[in-house]
Amino acid sequence: MEERYNFKAIEKKWQEIWDDEKVYKVEIDKNKEKFYALVEFPYPSGAGLHVGHPRSYTALDVIARKKRMQGFNVLYPMGFDAFGLPAENYAIKTGVHPAVSTKANIENFTRQLKSIGFSFDWDRCINTCDPEYYKWTQWMFIKFFEKGLAYKDKIAINWCPSCKVGLANEEVINGHCERCGAEVVRKDKEQWMIAITKYADRLIKDLDDLDFIDRVKSQQINWIGRSEGAELDFEFGDDKLTVFTTRPDTAFGVTYMVLAPEHEFVQKYMGKFENQNEVRAYVEETAKKSDLQRTMSDEKTGVELRGIKAKNPYNGQMIPVFISDYVLTGYGTGAIMAVPAHDQRDYDFAKVFNLPIVQVLDGGDISEKAWEEDGKHINSGFLDGLNKDEAMRKAIDYAVEHGFGRAKVNFKLRDWVFSRQRYWGEPIPMVYCEKCGWQPIPESELPLTLPEVPDYHPNDEGESPLSKAGDWLNTTCPKCGGKARRETDTMPNWAGSSWYFLRYCDPHNDKEFASKEALDYWMNVDWYNGGMEHTTLHLLYSRFWHKFLYDCGYVPMPEPYKKRTSHGMILAENGEKMSKSRGNVINPDDIIDAYGADAFRLYEMFMGPFDQTAMWSDESLMGVYRFVGKVFGLFKKVYKNTKPSEKDLRAMHKCILEVSERIEQMRFNTAVSSLMTYVNYLSSLDKIAPELYENLLKLMSPFTPHLAEEMWARLGHDTFIVAETWPKGDAKLAEENTVTLAVQICGKMRGTIELAKDASREDAEKAALNLENVKKQLEGKEIKKVIVVPNKIVNIVAA
RNA sequence: GCGGGUGUGGCGGAAUUGGUAGACGCGUCAGACUUAGGAUCUGAUUUCGCAAGGAGUGGGGGUUCAAGUCCCUUCACCCGCACCA
């Protein structure tokens, strides 16, 4: 009876040995070059690991293992982003404390991750809800406060009436709450804000030097939304009404102005409006609308502010002023100058209200629609005859000279709403004193741990469950010693993950978040792989957070990640998203149980291009499962005294070169196919030289570490294959000495010829013309030209 | 509307600088071993055609001796943002 590969016993055996011997533990070693590979740490949900997680984890595990074999000192850590809503919702439903359920979930995740055989250094495992960890998250918040970047502000926030929680813009999807799907409304609330907008420019500029995939860069740039233009002051009552425009060159075409209904001048001048009631009604109406309703309607609405006009500083014209909800309060100055001839939105509005449309750039047909392209200026006084770019410069110069304007850059990015009315998050380490205002608690009192509360519901005012924490709330002011009250909001989910990669460098340090030595050695992260969904959330926040720490002198470089790549999603077999409600979730435990961790890892890498969406297929999984068995089966053909032939070496070196290169480029699916091709070749041999099989095992060890380790041991080695040296491919030995050239007539394939490598053009031509089929095809034709590309092709042009 | 991406067999997908389209895997078909196992091995498998030969990488056009690859144009789908002045 032939032995079958017993993956269950073998995988378990090696996992235990690796664990016991701490094979993947790393320490600072200044004699070795370091390599820091990072994957996004999971939220430990009750559902356990999803098959999507291991796609990213395996990919970087492959890279980390290869780098390790290439002599790098590799840091490949894992941890848990453990604060979050599901644990809290679970607590509300069952009364189980979030700390308890979270701990159980982390244990389950750890078991699952270990069962896949990742080469994480488990001694560095971190957990964001551990007070020893969030102590430093709180410490960093205080630094933000001390530098004036954390501030409390009453703003209209995105409020989810179902979760009773304020959301960041990033958490609102099409006007709905990202978590529960309820429609988000606007609500004025005092919130802690962090001034990420102060870093907007640097967050764009510094992307230049980073090796991030393009879609990440462009998505971040798009999200930050930088636009250059000018601020212009229009006379309005006793005030200056300032607008932001990217087209100051069109100022002579301004025929009206529009304020956001929330603009301060609306209330300030209310008494002067002839149609106060109408104005008031419109303001109230828009306040009631959700963002979604506001953006959904295509029709422009608005009300003229009768009784008051604005003066265009360029031509002195008096123009009407409107309020309309198509002007947003949060962007620019909340007011615009309207140029209906050259802006489609203004054009639509002007049509509804019968406002004049004055063309100031030549081109298009403005009886149809606005002309938004370039052209020569007309009707524009001193700008006449100029094109857009020149006119823009001149218009700004003119405004500066006459003191009514200035060049200005604006961003779509808003400051980060940092308060959550939730229990299961980091307490914000601030107290409020009637006399001294908001004060941070002293560093010596960190961590400020979460108190026990009677229940986890927010109250109807939308206040955090911490508002029910009794005595915990009352404290003294660190400044004056008087009575003070603690902040009851907690930090958002994104706080702990904004700096976790720093903690991995020195996870047990209780004096600092990480020592300078550790940061100097391990940072930057050399390669960070994660999901596209975090591009404008975690990835942007953590870049900002890191830049702030850099400015304070706490980290040695301005950017945290050198390289960022992203994996595609894994969908169910039918192309749908995997979800509990659809019942199509694949549980990694089941796969590992049935096919083993190695087959699972290999399949995750083989299923398709790494950066693209892939569909799960049990049938395809069978293919790699068979492959694992095949590699195991080859072992019995390995004979100690066999010498490899030239052809054998050619196949081996070709495989080494391909696999090495393809791993580096994250073309894992083709790296695996190279291994398969090589294994097919080895299968065709009667006897396999040890060298051939050993190198196969080394090349496979990043993908299937258990199998590789087992067979390595069976070959008689007493070392770990994961600590062996990565094989070097020799391009010369991989080369064929004969090549097959295609022979074409007028670009159509008519046959092939076998020639020595680098055979001369003449020989190639002669051999091609000698082919029977070629002779036949050329009958009665005249050869016009013969094109020979050495080692590739012979093309005969004939008529 | 703006930004990014993808279109290749029955399916997942391969194809340096333009140079034999369909590697590798799945599935299917045939055979072998055996006999009942979703096992293993061998062979075939883009399509039309008995063959010679033709067609073929979403559609249309172009450049070239030669185009999946370069250029123009068009369609479909996916992701992100979205009244951002």
Side-chain angles (χ1 to χ4, degrees):
Chain A
M1 180 82 178
E2 217 165 273
E3 187 193 357
R4 289 194 59 190
Y5 183 55
N6 184 352
F7 60 82
K8 261 186 203 163
I10 290 168
E11 288 178 351
K12 186 159 179 277
K13 176 178 87 182
W14 288 108
Q15 282 165 15
E16 281 168 6
I17 294 175
W18 290 331
D19 223 23
D20 289 347
E21 309 229 350
K22 294 196 185 289
V23 174
Y24 305 116
K25 187 177 168 64
V26 275
E27 294 295 348
I28 292 175
D29 178 352
K30 289 186 177 151
N31 297 315
K32 271 171 124 183
E33 198 177 330
K34 67 93 186 181
F35 185 83
Y36 186 173
L38 184 66
V39 287
E40 285 162 355
F41 60 165
Y43 172 75
S45 74
L49 212 59
H50 179 270
V51 289
H53 291 115
R55 197 176 192 197
S56 173
Y57 301 166
T58 307
L60 255 62
D61 194 47
V62 168
I63 288 162
R65 285 174 179 277
K66 171 168 170 276
K67 291 280 179 189
R68 224 175 264 130
M69 291 173 82
Q70 286 176 319
F72 288 88
N73 196 25
V74 174
L75 173 57
Y76 187 42
M78 179 44 69
F80 298 98
D81 192 12
F83 275 129
L85 214 47
E88 185 158 335
N89 289 339
Y90 184 72
I92 289 172
K93 236 197 292 183
T94 64
V96 176
H97 194 283
V100 174
S101 57
T102 301
K103 184 163 176 278
N105 290 346
I106 286 178
E107 276 162 16
N108 186 41
F109 263 72
T110 304
R111 176 192 61 77
Q112 289 188 300
L113 290 167
K114 286 191 172 179
S115 77
I116 305 174
F118 294 124
S119 63
F120 299 130
D121 177 357
W122 284 102
D123 286 354
R124 290 176 185 259
C125 186
I126 59 174
N127 167 3
T128 56
C129 73
D130 179 351
E132 288 308 305
Y133 181 89
Y134 70 69
K135 169 182 178 177
W136 298 107
T137 313
Q138 291 172 330
W139 180 84
M140 288 169 190
F141 180 87
I142 292 172
K143 297 297 158 196
F144 277 116
F145 178 79
E146 286 170 356
K147 298 282 175 185
L149 290 178
Y151 60 97
K152 214 157 197 199
D153 197 13
K154 187 164 190 148
I155 53 150
I157 59 157
N158 304 301
W159 177 258
C160 172
S162 156
C163 298
K164 292 179 181 166
V165 71
L167 303 171
N169 286 328
E170 290 82 341
E171 293 167 308
V172 180
I173 310 296
N174 289 330
H176 293 269
C177 172
E178 182 189 51
R179 297 200 178 267
C180 74
E183 199 170 295
V184 170
V185 297
R186 304 188 73 78
K187 182 165 179 158
D188 281 334
K189 247 191 155 310
E190 281 244 313
Q191 302 282 310
W192 283 103
M193 308 284 292
I194 296 190
I196 189 172
T197 51
K198 291 217 166 109
Y199 283 70
D201 237 333
R202 285 166 66 190
L203 286 168
I204 291 179
K205 262 189 216 139
D206 293 353
L207 283 173
D208 280 350
D209 301 321
L210 298 177
D211 183 12
F212 285 14
I213 50 171
D214 286 340
R215 53 195 177 131
V216 167
K217 281 193 186 183
S218 62
Q219 216 166 294
Q220 288 205 343
I221 290 169
N222 204 32
W223 181 261
I224 295 168
R226 185 181 196 275
S227 37
E228 281 182 37
E231 270 184 0
L232 302 173
D233 306 326
F234 287 61
E235 277 177 35
F236 179 83
D238 307 325
D239 279 295
K240 282 176 182 163
L241 174 54
T242 305
V243 299
F244 172 72
T245 175
T246 53
R247 296 296 303 277
D249 61 305
T250 61
F252 286 86
V254 176
T255 55
Y256 64 99
M257 298 182 80
V258 188
L259 308 185
E262 298 88 346
H263 196 282
E264 57 165 329
F265 286 2
V266 177
Q267 294 308 321
K268 186 170 174 185
Y269 287 89
M270 190 62 86
K272 300 223 164 122
F273 304 145
E274 291 162 8
N275 54 340
Q276 274 184 48
N277 289 341
E278 209 189 341
V279 173
R280 282 217 172 84
Y282 189 81
V283 170
E284 273 170 39
E285 200 184 310
T286 48
K288 263 187 272 170
K289 279 191 200 167
S290 69
D291 266 1
L292 186 65
Q293 289 170 315
R294 224 167 134 160
T295 52
M296 280 293 277
S297 63
D298 292 334
E299 291 232 329
K300 294 277 184 287
T301 59
V303 174
E304 186 179 353
L305 303 176
R306 292 189 196 280
I308 192 159
K309 288 205 188 294
K311 186 176 169 190
N312 185 338
Y314 282 93
N315 58 15
Q317 246 175 45
M318 298 307 287
I319 49 177
V321 181
F322 290 75
I323 56 171
S324 171
D325 62 6
Y326 86 93
V327 173
L328 308 172
T329 178
Y331 183 77
T333 63
I336 62 157
M337 60 179 220
V339 187
H342 304 290
D343 181 292
Q344 193 56 46
R345 294 155 304 176
D346 297 346
Y347 187 90
D348 295 340
F349 188 88
K351 284 286 176 193
V352 173
F353 289 89
N354 258 321
L355 293 157
I357 297 171
V358 176
Q359 186 163 15
V360 292
L361 258 89
D362 205 16
D365 176 8
I366 64 154
S367 66
E368 287 290 320
K369 59 175 187 186
W371 173 248
E372 295 181 336
E373 310 294 311
D374 200 356
K376 289 262 181 276
H377 280 70
I378 51 175
N379 304 323
S380 289
F382 66 96
L383 299 176
D384 278 349
L386 301 177
N387 65 15
K388 185 170 145 186
D389 285 347
E390 273 176 281
M392 205 103 87
R393 265 193 300 274
K394 238 180 153 176
I396 294 173
D397 288 347
Y398 183 87
V400 171
E401 238 170 79
H402 292 78
F404 67 80
R406 59 220 78 90
K408 167 83 181 172
V409 174
N410 250 323
F411 298 94
K412 286 189 212 172
L413 185 71
R414 314 287 167 85
D415 276 348
W416 182 3
V417 181
F418 205 72
S419 300
R420 292 301 123 95
Q421 295 71 47
R422 284 283 158 192
Y423 176 74
W424 194 230
E426 300 89 344
I428 293 176
M430 301 293 295
V431 300
Y432 186 74
C433 165
E434 290 290 342
K435 247 197 288 174
C436 312
W438 284 104
Q439 296 294 327
I441 66 171
E443 247 178 68
S444 60
E445 289 178 21
L446 295 176
L448 172 62
T449 52
L450 271 169
E452 294 299 322
V453 291
D455 77 284
Y456 306 104
H457 287 94
N459 69 18
D460 288 338
E461 306 303 305
E463 278 175 348
S464 160
L466 290 189
S467 62
K468 303 170 183 171
D471 281 351
W472 181 84
L473 296 170
N474 302 313
T475 182
T476 51
C477 172
K479 200 171 175 191
C480 71
K483 270 193 180 172
R485 197 181 151 83
R486 291 194 192 278
E487 170 62 61
T488 58
D489 284 353
T490 52
M491 296 188 201
N493 225 194
W494 314 104
S497 60
S498 288
W499 68 280
Y500 75 116
F501 48 90
L502 298 171
R503 188 64 176 171
Y504 281 140
C505 298
D506 194 7
H508 309 295
N509 194 327
D510 58 0
K511 304 276 184 302
E512 308 160 272
F513 65 85
S515 73
K516 186 173 184 308
E517 190 203 7
L519 293 172
D520 280 343
Y521 182 76
W522 290 115
M523 287 298 289
N524 300 96
V525 172
D526 291 282
W527 196 329
Y528 190 16
N529 188 76
M532 280 307 288
E533 70 275 18
H534 289 128
T535 301
T536 54
L537 295 160
H538 157 68
L539 196 69
L540 193 64
Y541 292 148
S542 59
R543 285 184 60 221
F544 155 66
W545 193 291
H546 191 265
K547 280 181 181 303
F548 168 72
L549 294 178
Y550 172 73
D551 288 350
C552 297
Y554 297 124
V555 293
M557 67 285 292
E559 284 283 341
Y561 322 117
K562 258 190 207 148
K563 176 173 181 147
R564 168 77 178 190
T565 53
S566 198
H567 54 270
M569 266 201 313
I570 295 182
L571 303 177
E573 298 222 32
N574 56 5
E576 284 180 338
K577 261 192 181 173
M578 285 190 195
S579 69
K580 246 193 286 177
S581 55
R582 288 196 182 91
N584 57 3
V585 176
I586 306 265
N587 183 346
D589 286 344
D590 298 340
I591 301 299
I592 291 163
D593 191 57
Y595 305 100
D598 282 337
F600 178 54
R601 294 167 59 103
L602 203 54
Y603 177 58
E604 291 257 346
M605 294 297 91
F606 187 61
M607 66 193 308
F610 180 68
D611 58 349
Q612 280 171 41
T613 307
M615 271 179 264
W616 187 268
S617 157
D618 280 332
E619 283 182 341
S620 291
L621 174 59
M622 275 307 291
V624 291
Y625 174 70
R626 275 182 210 133
F627 175 67
V628 168
K630 209 166 171 182
V631 174
F632 173 78
L634 283 181
F635 175 74
K636 63 177 188 290
K637 291 214 247 174
V638 178
Y639 290 90
K640 272 226 168 78
N641 298 320
T642 317
K643 290 266 175 292
S645 71
E646 225 177 281
K647 202 176 162 201
D648 297 347
L649 290 176
R650 207 177 294 136
M652 182 186 85
H653 282 284
K654 193 165 175 252
C655 184
I656 295 172
L657 289 168
E658 284 180 358
V659 172
S660 304
E661 189 187 322
R662 290 172 180 180
I663 288 175
E664 212 61 41
Q665 296 164 186
M666 296 195 119
R667 291 160 58 209
F668 302 110
N669 54 333
T670 57
V672 175
S673 78
S674 292
L675 290 168
M676 287 172 166
T677 304
Y678 180 50
V679 165
N680 287 344
Y681 174 78
L682 293 182
S683 306
S684 72
L685 302 178
D686 293 328
K687 292 184 172 185
I688 299 169
E691 182 186 355
L692 301 176
Y693 193 62
E694 285 184 355
N695 278 324
L696 170 67
L697 295 179
K698 286 182 182 177
L699 294 176
M700 286 192 65
S701 69
F703 297 93
T704 58
H706 312 84
L707 171 74
E709 200 71 89
E710 175 68 17
M711 302 325 284
W712 185 252
R714 289 193 189 198
L715 283 170
H717 297 285
D718 54 7
T719 54
F720 287 112
I721 195 170
V722 296
E724 283 295 313
T725 307
W726 188 253
K728 277 204 173 67
D730 186 327
K732 276 232 176 71
L733 292 176
E735 260 177 20
E736 304 279 342
N737 36 29
T738 66
V739 286
T740 310
L741 279 79
V743 179
Q744 301 179 331
I745 295 174
C746 297
K748 286 205 194 301
M749 253 280 285
R750 295 301 174 192
T752 58
I753 48 175
E754 192 87 7
L755 288 176
K757 194 167 165 24
D758 297 324
S760 70
R761 287 163 182 276
E762 290 72 24
D763 289 348
E765 182 172 339
K766 217 195 288 172
L769 289 170
N770 248 328
L771 281 178
E772 280 308 315
N773 195 27
V774 169
K775 283 183 193 163
K776 206 177 97 193
Q777 291 287 330
L778 286 175
E779 260 171 43
K781 288 182 181 167
E782 188 193 339
I783 298 177
K784 293 255 168 85
K785 196 156 64 160
V786 179
I787 289 145
V788 180
V789 182
N791 301 326
K792 288 252 164 88
I793 207 161
V794 179
N795 191 9
I796 302 159
V797 187

mmCIF file of all heavy atoms in Angstrom, chain A residues 754-774:
data_model
loop_
_atom_site.group_PDB
_atom_site.id
_atom_site.type_symbol
_atom_site.label_atom_id
_atom_site.label_comp_id
_atom_site.label_asym_id
_atom_site.label_seq_id
_atom_site.Cartn_x
_atom_site.Cartn_y
_atom_site.Cartn_z
ATOM 1 N N GLU A 754 13.985 23.976 -36.518
ATOM 2 C CA GLU A 754 14.798 23.803 -35.317
ATOM 3 C C GLU A 754 16.217 24.221 -35.658
ATOM 4 O O GLU A 754 16.796 23.685 -36.602
ATOM 5 C CB GLU A 754 14.750 22.328 -34.911
ATOM 6 C CG GLU A 754 15.287 22.017 -33.545
ATOM 7 C CD GLU A 754 14.212 22.174 -32.474
ATOM 8 O OE1 GLU A 754 13.034 22.392 -32.836
ATOM 9 O OE2 GLU A 754 14.555 22.092 -31.300
ATOM 10 N N LEU A 755 16.763 25.174 -34.940
ATOM 11 C CA LEU A 755 18.116 25.635 -35.248
ATOM 12 C C LEU A 755 18.935 25.757 -33.970
ATOM 13 O O LEU A 755 18.385 25.850 -32.872
ATOM 14 C CB LEU A 755 18.066 27.012 -35.913
ATOM 15 C CG LEU A 755 17.553 27.103 -37.358
ATOM 16 C CD1 LEU A 755 17.506 28.554 -37.778
ATOM 17 C CD2 LEU A 755 18.446 26.309 -38.293
ATOM 18 N N ALA A 756 20.250 25.745 -34.154
ATOM 19 C CA ALA A 756 21.118 26.018 -33.018
ATOM 20 C C ALA A 756 20.862 27.449 -32.568
ATOM 21 O O ALA A 756 20.494 28.306 -33.366
ATOM 22 C CB ALA A 756 22.585 25.862 -33.439
ATOM 23 N N LYS A 757 21.058 27.671 -31.281
ATOM 24 C CA LYS A 757 20.840 29.010 -30.777
ATOM 25 C C LYS A 757 21.797 29.998 -31.461
ATOM 26 O O LYS A 757 22.939 29.667 -31.736
ATOM 27 C CB LYS A 757 21.091 29.031 -29.273
ATOM 28 C CG LYS A 757 20.568 30.295 -28.639
ATOM 29 C CD LYS A 757 20.525 30.172 -27.137
ATOM 30 C CE LYS A 757 20.348 31.509 -26.457
ATOM 31 N NZ LYS A 757 19.741 32.592 -27.161
ATOM 32 N N ASP A 758 21.294 31.176 -31.746
ATOM 33 C CA ASP A 758 22.071 32.232 -32.402
ATOM 34 C C ASP A 758 22.587 31.825 -33.788
ATOM 35 O O ASP A 758 23.635 32.294 -34.231
ATOM 36 C CB ASP A 758 23.260 32.675 -31.534
ATOM 37 C CG ASP A 758 22.785 33.290 -30.238
ATOM 38 O OD1 ASP A 758 21.735 33.972 -30.269
ATOM 39 O OD2 ASP A 758 23.435 33.081 -29.203
ATOM 40 N N ALA A 759 21.834 30.960 -34.461
ATOM 41 C CA ALA A 759 22.194 30.610 -35.837
ATOM 42 C C ALA A 759 22.108 31.870 -36.695
ATOM 43 O O ALA A 759 21.333 32.780 -36.404
ATOM 44 C CB ALA A 759 21.244 29.542 -36.369
ATOM 45 N N SER A 760 22.891 31.901 -37.776
ATOM 46 C CA SER A 760 22.953 33.116 -38.586
ATOM 47 C C SER A 760 21.657 33.314 -39.364
ATOM 48 O O SER A 760 20.868 32.390 -39.555
ATOM 49 C CB SER A 760 24.119 33.008 -39.576
ATOM 50 O OG SER A 760 23.791 32.035 -40.549
ATOM 51 N N ARG A 761 21.454 34.548 -39.797
ATOM 52 C CA ARG A 761 20.267 34.889 -40.583
ATOM 53 C C ARG A 761 20.197 34.043 -41.848
ATOM 54 O O ARG A 761 19.129 33.568 -42.251
ATOM 55 C CB ARG A 761 20.318 36.361 -41.000
ATOM 56 C CG ARG A 761 20.048 37.304 -39.851
ATOM 57 C CD ARG A 761 20.509 38.735 -40.179
ATOM 58 N NE ARG A 761 20.271 39.565 -39.028
ATOM 59 C CZ ARG A 761 19.093 40.132 -38.767
ATOM 60 N NH1 ARG A 761 18.090 39.970 -39.590
ATOM 61 N NH2 ARG A 761 18.919 40.859 -37.687
ATOM 62 N N GLU A 762 21.387 33.855 -42.458
ATOM 63 C CA GLU A 762 21.443 33.112 -43.705
ATOM 64 C C GLU A 762 20.968 31.669 -43.485
ATOM 65 O O GLU A 762 20.181 31.135 -44.262
ATOM 66 C CB GLU A 762 22.879 33.110 -44.270
ATOM 67 C CG GLU A 762 23.355 34.455 -44.784
ATOM 68 C CD GLU A 762 23.642 35.458 -43.674
ATOM 69 O OE1 GLU A 762 23.918 35.043 -42.520
ATOM 70 O OE2 GLU A 762 23.572 36.674 -43.943
ATOM 71 N N ASP A 763 21.489 31.045 -42.422
ATOM 72 C CA ASP A 763 21.111 29.665 -42.132
ATOM 73 C C ASP A 763 19.620 29.554 -41.880
ATOM 74 O O ASP A 763 18.963 28.614 -42.327
ATOM 75 C CB ASP A 763 21.873 29.147 -40.903
ATOM 76 C CG ASP A 763 23.345 28.937 -41.219
ATOM 77 O OD1 ASP A 763 23.678 28.971 -42.432
ATOM 78 O OD2 ASP A 763 24.130 28.750 -40.278
ATOM 79 N N ALA A 764 19.112 30.506 -41.161
ATOM 80 C CA ALA A 764 17.688 30.491 -40.831
ATOM 81 C C ALA A 764 16.859 30.612 -42.101
ATOM 82 O O ALA A 764 15.896 29.870 -42.317
ATOM 83 C CB ALA A 764 17.363 31.630 -39.878
ATOM 84 N N GLU A 765 17.274 31.530 -42.962
ATOM 85 C CA GLU A 765 16.537 31.747 -44.200
ATOM 86 C C GLU A 765 16.560 30.478 -45.065
ATOM 87 O O GLU A 765 15.543 30.055 -45.603
ATOM 88 C CB GLU A 765 17.140 32.941 -44.956
ATOM 89 C CG GLU A 765 16.397 33.255 -46.237
ATOM 90 C CD GLU A 765 16.867 34.544 -46.895
ATOM 91 O OE1 GLU A 765 17.455 35.391 -46.195
ATOM 92 O OE2 GLU A 765 16.649 34.694 -48.103
ATOM 93 N N LYS A 766 17.772 29.895 -45.131
ATOM 94 C CA LYS A 766 17.927 28.701 -45.961
ATOM 95 C C LYS A 766 17.047 27.568 -45.445
ATOM 96 O O LYS A 766 16.314 26.917 -46.193
ATOM 97 C CB LYS A 766 19.406 28.264 -45.931
ATOM 98 C CG LYS A 766 19.858 27.731 -47.296
ATOM 99 C CD LYS A 766 21.148 26.982 -47.198
ATOM 100 C CE LYS A 766 22.352 27.885 -46.949
ATOM 101 N NZ LYS A 766 23.580 27.118 -46.674
ATOM 102 N N ALA A 767 17.083 27.373 -44.121
ATOM 103 C CA ALA A 767 16.304 26.291 -43.514
ATOM 104 C C ALA A 767 14.818 26.514 -43.733
ATOM 105 O O ALA A 767 14.058 25.575 -43.991
ATOM 106 C CB ALA A 767 16.620 26.197 -42.026
ATOM 107 N N ALA A 768 14.413 27.764 -43.666
ATOM 108 C CA ALA A 768 12.995 28.079 -43.823
ATOM 109 C C ALA A 768 12.534 27.786 -45.239
ATOM 110 O O ALA A 768 11.487 27.170 -45.457
ATOM 111 C CB ALA A 768 12.752 29.546 -43.474
ATOM 112 N N LEU A 769 13.352 28.203 -46.211
ATOM 113 C CA LEU A 769 12.980 28.021 -47.608
ATOM 114 C C LEU A 769 12.997 26.553 -48.008
ATOM 115 O O LEU A 769 12.412 26.149 -49.007
ATOM 116 C CB LEU A 769 13.915 28.824 -48.513
ATOM 117 C CG LEU A 769 13.702 30.342 -48.422
ATOM 118 C CD1 LEU A 769 14.804 31.088 -49.144
ATOM 119 C CD2 LEU A 769 12.339 30.738 -48.962
ATOM 120 N N ASN A 770 13.672 25.730 -47.197
ATOM 121 C CA ASN A 770 13.778 24.313 -47.467
ATOM 122 C C ASN A 770 12.568 23.505 -47.018
ATOM 123 O O ASN A 770 12.405 22.356 -47.402
ATOM 124 C CB ASN A 770 15.025 23.761 -46.775
ATOM 125 C CG ASN A 770 16.033 23.343 -47.812
ATOM 126 O OD1 ASN A 770 15.651 22.906 -48.893
ATOM 127 N ND2 ASN A 770 17.293 23.479 -47.491
ATOM 128 N N LEU A 771 11.755 24.105 -46.171
ATOM 129 C CA LEU A 771 10.576 23.394 -45.672
ATOM 130 C C LEU A 771 9.646 23.043 -46.833
ATOM 131 O O LEU A 771 9.378 23.872 -47.697
ATOM 132 C CB LEU A 771 9.822 24.265 -44.664
ATOM 133 C CG LEU A 771 10.360 24.348 -43.238
ATOM 134 C CD1 LEU A 771 9.503 25.290 -42.419
ATOM 135 C CD2 LEU A 771 10.412 22.980 -42.588
ATOM 136 N N GLU A 772 9.172 21.801 -46.803
ATOM 137 C CA GLU A 772 8.289 21.332 -47.862
ATOM 138 C C GLU A 772 7.080 22.245 -48.029
ATOM 139 O O GLU A 772 6.734 22.678 -49.119
ATOM 140 C CB GLU A 772 7.791 19.906 -47.551
ATOM 141 C CG GLU A 772 8.796 18.821 -47.880
ATOM 142 C CD GLU A 772 9.321 18.923 -49.316
ATOM 143 O OE1 GLU A 772 8.490 19.126 -50.228
ATOM 144 O OE2 GLU A 772 10.550 18.836 -49.508
ATOM 145 N N ASN A 773 6.456 22.488 -46.904
ATOM 146 C CA ASN A 773 5.244 23.289 -46.926
ATOM 147 C C ASN A 773 5.495 24.697 -47.471
ATOM 148 O O ASN A 773 4.672 25.277 -48.188
ATOM 149 C CB ASN A 773 4.645 23.366 -45.515
ATOM 150 C CG ASN A 773 3.213 23.861 -45.551
ATOM 151 O OD1 ASN A 773 2.528 23.669 -46.554
ATOM 152 N ND2 ASN A 773 2.797 24.511 -44.494
ATOM 153 N N VAL A 774 6.665 25.207 -47.138
ATOM 154 C CA VAL A 774 7.018 26.554 -47.603
ATOM 155 C C VAL A 774 7.204 26.542 -49.119
ATOM 156 O O VAL A 774 6.695 27.407 -49.830
ATOM 157 C CB VAL A 774 8.300 27.049 -46.903
ATOM 158 C CG1 VAL A 774 8.832 28.325 -47.559
ATOM 159 C CG2 VAL A 774 8.041 27.274 -45.421
#
